[in-house]
Amino acid sequence: MKVLQKTDEYTIYQKRSGRYAVEGADKKIINGDEKVSILIAAGVVKQAVAKPAPVEEPAVDEAPVEEAPAEAAPEEEAVAEEAPADETPAEAAPAESADEETK
């Protein structure tokens, strides 16, 4: 391990893997949030700043477009329900006339 910075309170090492180790004055390894704060304060690593998520607000024009398909859906269902009812008698009519012809 390579010594990067040494103070009275801690020693910062860089491992061969590129990661960092922080050793306290009592020769114990420091981990977790304390280690991160020491590395940031020493300038060894930079703190990542989270980008604020863009807030998407629907435009005024988009709101009615979303409502229109919801209203159209019941009409489509009504048409779909009527279509099989119309087809069933049409299919049954030729079958009945075929039965009558054979008699």
Side-chain angles (χ1 to χ4, degrees):
M1 288 194 296
K2 178 180 171 183
V3 176
L4 291 181
Q5 187 175 11
K6 189 171 186 176
T7 66
D8 294 337
E9 298 174 16
Y10 55 83
T11 304
I12 300 175
Y13 298 100
Q14 184 174 18
K15 300 177 182 181
R16 285 190 279 169
S17 65
R19 300 177 85 186
Y20 300 99
V22 179
E23 183 179 65
D26 57 353
K27 303 292 181 188
K28 291 186 178 179
I29 300 296
I30 299 171
N31 290 316
D33 293 334
E34 188 178 357
K35 173 183 173 181
V36 173
S37 63
I38 291 171
L39 291 173
I40 291 171
V44 176
V45 294
K46 295 180 182 177
Q47 184 176 10
V49 178
K51 295 180 182 177
V55 177
E56 296 181 22
E57 296 180 13
V60 176
D61 296 335
E62 293 178 7
V65 174
E66 292 176 6
E67 292 175 6
E71 293 174 5
E75 293 173 9
E76 292 175 4
E77 291 175 7
V79 172
E81 290 175 7
E82 291 175 10
D86 293 339
E87 293 174 5
T88 306
E91 293 173 2
E96 291 174 5
S97 56
D99 290 336
E100 291 175 6
E101 292 175 9
T102 55
K103 290 183 182 178

